[in-house]
Amino acid sequence: MSIQIVNLYKNYNDQQIFRDFSITLQENQISCILGPSGCGKTTLLNILSGLTNTNSGIINGLSGKIISYIFQDPRLLPWKTVRENIRFVLPEQDKKESDEKILLYLKMVGLSDFINHYPNQLSGGMKQRVSIARAFIYPSDIILMDEPLQTIDPKLKLSLMKTFLKIWKNDNRTVLFVTHDVDEALILGKDIFIFSHPPVSIKNILKNPLTPEEKSIDNKHFFELKKKILSYLD
Amino acid sequence: MKNLFTKNKTYTFISVVFLIILWKAGSLMVSSEFILPSPEKTFFSLIQLTTEPEFFNTIGSTILRGLLGFFISFILALSLGIFAGIQEKFRAFLQPLLVTIRSTPVISLILLALIWFNVNQVPVFIALLTMFPFICTNIIDGIRNVDHDLIHMAQVYRIRNKNIIRHIYIPAIMPYIFSGTSSAMGFGWRAIIIGEVLSQPTYGIGTLMQNAQTYLLTDRLIAWTVLAIIISYFFDLLIRFIEKQSITWKQT
């Protein structure tokens, strides 16, 4: 079942972020929200995850759904090792057989050698990879991502996005990915929603036509599409 | 790192030797054992103190009072501090009390305590009141400084409140508890001894300091002072040791 937000209203202090806003996110797909900073992208994720209340509006398709969230910053507990950080979020019944699974996911993000390290021994990019592994290992139905690649250097970013897609293909979880980076949106997103400044409206919805082979920054189709999207973003 | 450590230790040693030389020079200049006894005479007095039958009773009583005062104030500070850290209204209520206790001269507390309690209770009461605000304030700060982003992360991942307290709140306030305890103890030992000087319990370092002062046994007075410093230093080391054992992640 898709996730539908209908007639959403949300104010922050005096600012109206959402005024009669509606959006539908397809199930088992990576939807991407692209927009300038301060356009209410994080607010939308916080509403979906229950961290923020709405002023009014209806959200369908979320009841009983379990969510994992990859935040802008890694949000690891500094006093726990990588293994303990991941174990911490696992439900009781999954903790017993978790070690193998943790190692498997850490391998996928290339951090299996760091399983017993503390966060302060890892670089920013490594910590974010741990938080990605944590989100995927958590038995969720939906993954929310709030510009998780922002702090990661460009070279690593591309390989991390490929890793992300590889892990995602195992179970095709519903993903909502928020970014202001057009490249990230084109590589990861299936439906790409372009947001305006608040009060937010959807300026454009783009079905990403690129094949996996075309998802490369030096590809002609990729470049043309990027130019088109940048013109919407103005 | 190891080099730096040994280098620092060398400087500590030089500092102690410097202090003793200064002391010796002072005593030679004054040349009166009543006003400033020499370091070696004080040292012999110290050794002699340890052979006296009342020595362990005296030291033990003072330490026991300190620990009793500390544990009561610690438990009180922990429960009130956690509650005040979470509840803003209770914090607003508690804050003026903490400021008042901290700003009251220790001597006023002692004089009042002498009216209210018996001689053995006075030093404990003083220890309790001087230590409590330090620990309590630190715990409140610790709770208020817990990273809310981590709490939000845990809420999204449906972690139970019990586990949020155990795995996020408690480790986050640990460094605050240790720093509060360390400053509280520093003040606490001094306050207890003042309490003992004025209340004169049967056994206590303060009691014997007062006696030594009355009979102008300056060497004994300084010897007891050195012992008081050693006790305070020992507990400071103990706290640091426990802190190192329990907060391992910071050293990596």
Side-chain angles (χ1 to χ4, degrees):
Chain A
M1 192 182 158
S2 60
I3 301 166
Q4 294 165 321
I5 299 177
V6 189
N7 308 126
L8 173 71
Y9 284 81
K10 173 71 188 171
N11 296 343
Y12 244 128
N13 300 324
D14 282 339
Q15 205 196 3
Q16 205 164 31
I17 310 271
F18 294 106
R19 184 173 63 204
D20 199 13
F21 174 85
S22 300
I23 191 171
T24 301
L25 305 167
Q26 293 307 318
E27 197 181 19
N28 305 121
Q29 218 181 70
I30 303 178
S31 301
C32 186
I33 291 172
L34 191 63
S37 31
C39 78
K41 292 173 296 191
T42 302
T43 307
L44 188 70
L45 293 187
N46 284 346
I47 287 171
L48 289 172
S49 65
L51 288 175
T52 304
N53 294 323
T54 62
N55 291 104
S56 71
I58 301 163
I59 301 171
N60 288 323
L62 262 192
S63 69
K65 291 277 198 282
I66 298 169
I67 289 172
S68 44
Y69 198 146
I70 305 171
F71 299 89
Q72 268 181 35
D73 48 331
R75 301 201 184 179
L76 304 177
L77 307 183
W79 41 83
K80 287 191 183 291
T81 61
V82 168
R83 181 210 308 268
E84 291 163 348
N85 259 290
I86 296 177
R87 267 181 76 94
F88 175 63
V89 303
L90 290 177
E92 279 313 316
Q93 66 270 18
D94 292 6
K95 282 195 180 170
K96 277 190 200 115
E97 14 142 27
S98 62
D99 271 10
E100 250 173 75
K101 214 171 160 192
I102 291 172
L103 198 64
L104 181 77
Y105 276 87
L106 284 177
K107 255 188 199 138
M108 287 196 251
V109 295
L111 285 178
S112 50
D113 290 342
F114 296 88
I115 190 160
N116 290 320
H117 282 55
Y118 285 97
N120 63 1
Q121 297 170 296
L122 306 178
S123 71
M126 290 158 99
K127 284 187 242 186
Q128 197 55 286
R129 276 141 78 192
V130 175
S131 97
I132 291 171
R134 177 177 67 186
F136 271 101
I137 203 167
Y138 188 69
S140 59
D141 306 299
I142 299 159
I143 298 181
L144 305 176
M145 297 167 80
D146 187 4
E147 309 208 25
L149 305 173
Q150 213 176 25
T151 53
I152 292 171
D153 72 281
K155 243 161 98 190
L156 197 67
K157 210 186 248 187
L158 197 69
S159 85
L160 208 54
M161 282 192 274
K162 284 188 178 142
T163 312
F164 181 90
L165 284 174
K166 199 177 80 194
I167 309 176
W168 177 77
K169 277 194 184 107
N170 290 330
D171 51 15
N172 289 343
R173 259 180 265 187
T174 308
V175 174
L176 179 58
F177 175 73
V178 147
T179 184
H180 66 263
D181 185 310
V182 181
D183 292 343
E184 287 176 20
L186 279 174
I187 292 173
L188 293 178
K190 177 85 175 148
D191 287 349
I192 300 171
F193 299 87
I194 300 166
F195 274 26
S196 72
H197 281 287
V200 177
S201 59
I202 299 173
K203 279 184 170 175
N204 230 304
I205 304 174
L206 198 94
K207 297 266 174 202
N208 191 346
L210 296 175
T211 61
E213 293 74 37
E214 289 172 325
K215 287 182 179 178
S216 154
I217 301 164
D218 43 24
N219 182 277
K220 201 175 122 225
H221 286 134
F222 188 96
F223 184 73
E224 279 165 4
L225 211 54
K226 182 176 172 178
K227 241 171 51 183
K228 196 168 134 194
I229 292 175
L230 281 172
S231 74
Y232 294 140
L233 276 170
D234 60 44
Chain B
M1 197 63 205
K2 207 178 171 187
N3 256 333
L4 193 78
F5 188 64
T6 43
K7 212 174 171 185
N8 276 340
K9 268 206 163 161
T10 315
Y11 285 117
T12 311
F13 180 72
I14 292 172
S15 161
V16 172
V17 170
F18 174 73
L19 203 69
I20 293 173
I21 291 172
L22 209 65
W23 178 1
K24 178 71 189 169
S27 77
L28 282 175
M29 272 197 290
V30 174
S31 75
S32 157
E33 292 290 333
F34 296 120
I35 297 174
L36 187 61
S38 64
E40 62 272 20
K41 181 154 196 289
T42 309
F43 180 73
F44 288 126
S45 297
L46 203 154
I47 299 297
Q48 213 216 315
L49 283 185
T50 59
T51 61
E52 285 171 15
E54 285 180 359
F55 176 75
F56 288 103
N57 265 340
T58 307
I59 294 263
S61 301
T62 298
I63 290 177
L64 213 63
R65 285 189 193 102
L67 290 181
L68 193 63
F70 169 72
F71 282 119
I72 298 172
S73 65
F74 187 80
I75 289 163
L76 215 61
L78 195 66
S79 38
L80 294 180
I82 287 175
F83 192 49
I86 298 165
Q87 266 289 326
E88 210 173 321
K89 284 172 188 154
F90 184 65
R91 183 162 67 243
F93 169 80
L94 194 66
Q95 213 72 277
L97 287 175
L98 290 172
V99 173
T100 310
I101 299 173
R102 211 165 22 185
S103 317
T104 309
V106 177
I107 198 73
S108 314
L109 297 175
I110 296 172
L111 292 173
L112 283 169
L114 282 169
I115 302 172
W116 296 337
F117 302 107
N118 74 38
V119 290
N120 276 311
Q121 291 165 341
V122 173
V124 177
F125 176 74
I126 300 306
L128 197 162
L129 276 192
T130 44
M131 292 196 235
F132 169 74
F134 282 104
I135 307 175
C136 195
T137 309
N138 266 277
I139 289 173
I140 294 174
D141 285 349
I143 295 219
R144 293 189 70 194
N145 282 317
V146 168
D147 186 350
H148 282 273
D149 286 346
L150 292 181
I151 308 281
H152 288 156
M153 180 276 293
Q155 282 167 345
V156 170
Y157 285 105
R158 301 185 175 195
I159 309 292
R160 288 193 192 141
N161 280 336
K162 180 186 86 183
N163 285 330
I164 291 183
I165 291 172
R166 191 172 143 206
H167 294 284
I168 300 181
Y169 275 100
I170 290 178
I173 63 172
M174 279 310 246
Y176 290 85
I177 291 180
F178 281 111
S179 94
T181 302
S182 171
S183 18
M185 283 250 180
F187 275 84
W189 291 116
R190 284 183 276 175
I192 290 159
I193 291 171
I194 304 175
E196 288 176 344
V197 167
L198 290 168
S199 67
Q200 294 284 305
T202 321
Y203 296 110
I205 294 179
T207 308
L208 293 185
M209 277 183 172
Q210 170 72 39
N211 289 349
Q213 200 260 352
T214 310
Y215 299 108
L216 278 181
L217 301 170
T218 317
D219 52 325
R220 279 176 70 96
L221 178 54
I222 297 178
W224 279 117
T225 306
V226 171
L227 282 171
I229 294 170
I230 292 172
I231 292 173
S232 176
Y233 185 65
F234 167 77
F235 277 98
D236 198 53
L237 283 184
L238 186 70
I239 293 164
R240 277 164 210 271
F241 175 75
I242 298 171
E243 182 175 14
K244 257 197 176 164
Q245 295 299 307
S246 55
I247 306 179
T248 44
W249 59 274
K250 272 201 174 165
Q251 292 139 38
T252 48

